Amino acid sequence: MRWQTAGPWLATGARLLVGGVFLVAGLLKFPDPAAVERAVRAYRLLPEALVPPVAFGLPVVEVAVGLALLAGVFVRTAALASAVLLVLFLVGVGSAWARGLRIDCGCFGDGGEVGAGKTAYPAEIARDVGLLLVALALARWPASRLALGVPVRSDDHEEYVDAR
């Protein structure tokens, strides 16, 4: 199978995967803003004054990125935004692990302190690294099927790329 045929379908799968994860993660945070604030605070990385705005804004950004990827609009921009978020999440989880904090990442709601042996840092890091690789590939090759974005022909490639 040629890349010109398979590539856009692989990009569609990547869009749906990364977009779906971000949309679900953001939507699961909306019902309990206090839990999101507890999760952000548990990392002990931000000054207290920044915890509430970050806790409020994070689900909004996650939903916006997820919707853009699922709809296939601003694909490269949304993929880069998701990659930046994933790097920040990796730094946060890695930092918590290195400092011996016992917290749930809060990635899909809840979060905060957990009991001994209840952390899942290796799995969380593996998941985020996998999603980061997919997001970076999508940023490099954003052309996909079933997208609302307007494709244009690239001068240096025979594939179509998102104009935004």
Side-chain angles (χ1 to χ4, degrees):
M1 187 176 282
R2 295 182 48 148
W3 175 252
Q4 290 174 320
T5 304
W9 286 109
L10 291 171
T12 301
R15 271 188 23 241
L16 297 177
L17 173 67
V18 177
V21 168
F22 272 94
L23 181 63
V24 168
L27 290 176
L28 288 174
K29 290 178 179 98
F30 278 133
D32 193 355
V36 181
E37 196 167 317
R38 275 192 312 276
V40 171
R41 186 174 286 113
Y43 282 94
R44 301 181 198 165
L45 290 172
L46 297 174
E48 183 56 34
L50 291 179
V51 170
V54 168
F56 173 79
L58 181 60
V60 173
V61 172
E62 288 175 330
V63 167
V65 167
L67 287 174
L69 287 172
L70 289 174
V73 295
F74 306 110
V75 173
R76 179 171 280 132
T77 302
L80 288 171
S82 67
V84 168
L85 287 171
L86 287 161
V87 167
L88 292 174
F89 297 158
L90 283 164
V91 167
V93 170
S95 171
W97 192 9
R99 291 180 291 140
L101 299 180
R102 293 181 309 192
I103 63 173
D104 176 89
C105 71
C107 303
F108 297 95
D110 294 329
E113 302 285 331
V114 296
K118 300 289 184 184
T119 61
Y121 296 132
E124 292 164 356
I125 288 172
R127 178 199 59 223
D128 288 354
V129 166
L131 288 170
L132 175 60
L133 293 174
V134 173
L136 290 172
L138 187 57
R140 172 63 180 92
W141 298 287
S144 61
R145 303 281 186 232
L146 309 174
L148 296 177
V150 179
V152 295
R153 186 172 275 291
S154 170
D155 291 335
D156 56 347
H157 299 319
E158 290 189 19
E159 64 193 58
Y160 285 88
V161 296
D162 192 310
R164 292 168 282 266

